[in-house]
Amino acid sequence: AHWCPPCRQFTPQMAGWYTDNLAAKGLEVVFVSSDKDQGSFDSYFAEHPWLALPFSDRDRKEELSKKFKVNGIPSLVIVDPSTGDVITTDGRKAVSSDPTGEKLPWTPPTKAEKKEMCIKALGDSFVDKDGHNHTKADRLNKEYIGLYFSAHWCPPCQMFTPELAKMYDEGLKDKMEIVFVSSDKDEAAFQGYLGDMPWLALPFSKRDEKGVLSDEYGVQGIPTFVILDKDMNVVTTDGRSKVGQDPKGESLPDGWLPQPCNDVNDDPSEVNSETCVIVLGADGDGVKAVADEHHAAAGKDVSEMKYRFYTAPPGQIESQIRKLTQTEGEGDMLVMMDIPDNGGYYKIGANCSADAIRAAIGDYEDKKLERLQLQ
């Protein structure tokens, strides 16, 4: 969109790359505008050497934004034109690192390839706070590995590190070895911060390897605690909240795997990016049963589920959701939130049984529910 400063910076770069190399290598681009009016669209589109979805086709723009889960701009989604399948939703990063298109269509690594990249990046050399060196064989021999992405300059990290150290000393160390992956600004800060930690660290000099681990495990902020099994398969990238619920790791791995139904007060992050079924106040038996059905239908892969399911007992996030959905003081309530649809939501009713939830999802898919707008 014309009003978006990052877009104004990226568009001329992308236009140059497209004109110089990418068009000749088979990339076609379609501008999908978030401009505020036709005039702004026309002015901005004049700078683009590619096609555009007509500005008047707002419904299709919204469908595309929702389909590809566009939560910010600029966003560049790469699709296979013959099938419509998504190749990558992170085309901006891909083209920025390969502006001549040598690696088009920028197919992300497979799960197996990603695992091998991370094994190589983690390496076989680690240090502790006393300056001793260690190998995988002598220390990474427990059932689980925790990669702790953190830095001394980060206030939330300074709060979480002593809590994690206490949990480690009081039993977590029997289940897993932790490796500190530093985002400190220099070696001295790294060494000082490592002095507070009873576990290992990736040597600070391995900046490139740290970057690979951060990228491949999707680290967007710190502290982040990624849990792997001994074969380097990901158990969870949300170890920070999981260890708070299970400080000794007694429920590993099943209790730490992504769950089909969660308490929204614990981690509401996907409320902003997914279509969510939320039971406010009531016991969660009904929503858990329906979530389990959808989980099974998705091959027990939470990331492949069409909806996210939440219980919402009294709590900070539950209170915020009630305010947003205007259900304060109304007791048990079934709602659906569809924030990717420009902040849409649906107030279903007080019946939170499994049958009521199945019916609500059916009505949502048949467009029979009244769409309300978050304010």
Side-chain angles (χ1 to χ4, degrees), residues 21 51 56 60 68 81 91 122 142 144 149 153-154 171-173 200 227 230 238 245 257 288 370:
N21 290 288
L51 305 177
S56 59
R60 193 148 50 124
F68 297 122
L122 191 60
K142 300 173 185 175
Y144 302 97
F149 296 84
W153 52 260
C154 162
L172 188 62
K173 65 183 178 183
L200 304 179
I227 310 302
K230 62 183 178 181
D238 187 29
Q245 300 163 19
L257 292 169
K288 289 175 183 176
E370 179 186 3

Side-chain angles (χ1 to χ4, degrees), residues 256-275:
W256 290 44
L257 292 169
Q259 301 297 309
C261 184
N262 296 281
D263 183 336
V264 76
N265 296 297
D266 291 337
D267 180 13
S269 58
E270 290 195 308
V271 171
N272 291 321
S273 59
E274 304 288 343
T275 304

Side-chain angles (χ1 to χ4, degrees), residues 122-176:
L122 191 60
D124 193 33
S125 176
F126 308 93
V127 296
D128 64 22
K129 63 182 179 181
D130 297 318
H132 299 142
N133 293 312
H134 301 271
T135 66
K136 280 184 180 179
D138 63 44
R139 285 292 295 271
L140 299 192
N141 49 21
K142 300 173 185 175
E143 288 297 309
Y144 302 97
I145 301 166
L147 300 183
Y148 181 41
F149 296 84
S150 185
H152 184 268
W153 52 260
C154 162
C157 299
Q158 291 181 17
M159 293 178 62
F160 182 62
T161 296
E163 296 174 1
L164 183 59
K166 185 173 186 290
M167 290 184 274
Y168 181 84
D169 287 336
E170 293 181 353
L172 188 62
K173 65 183 178 183
D174 296 332
K175 283 279 189 175
M176 73 172 66

Side-chain angles (χ1 to χ4, degrees), residues 34 58-59 61-63 65-66 70-71 272 337-346 371-375:
S34 292
R58 294 291 83 192
D59 288 345
K61 182 267 179 187
E62 296 303 332
E63 289 176 7
S65 294
K66 185 174 180 181
V70 176
N71 292 314
N272 291 321
M337 295 185 72
D338 196 2
I339 290 178
D341 182 25
N342 276 341
Y345 78 96
Y346 303 85
R371 183 190 182 282
L372 303 171
Q373 181 65 45
L374 296 174
Q375 300 299 321

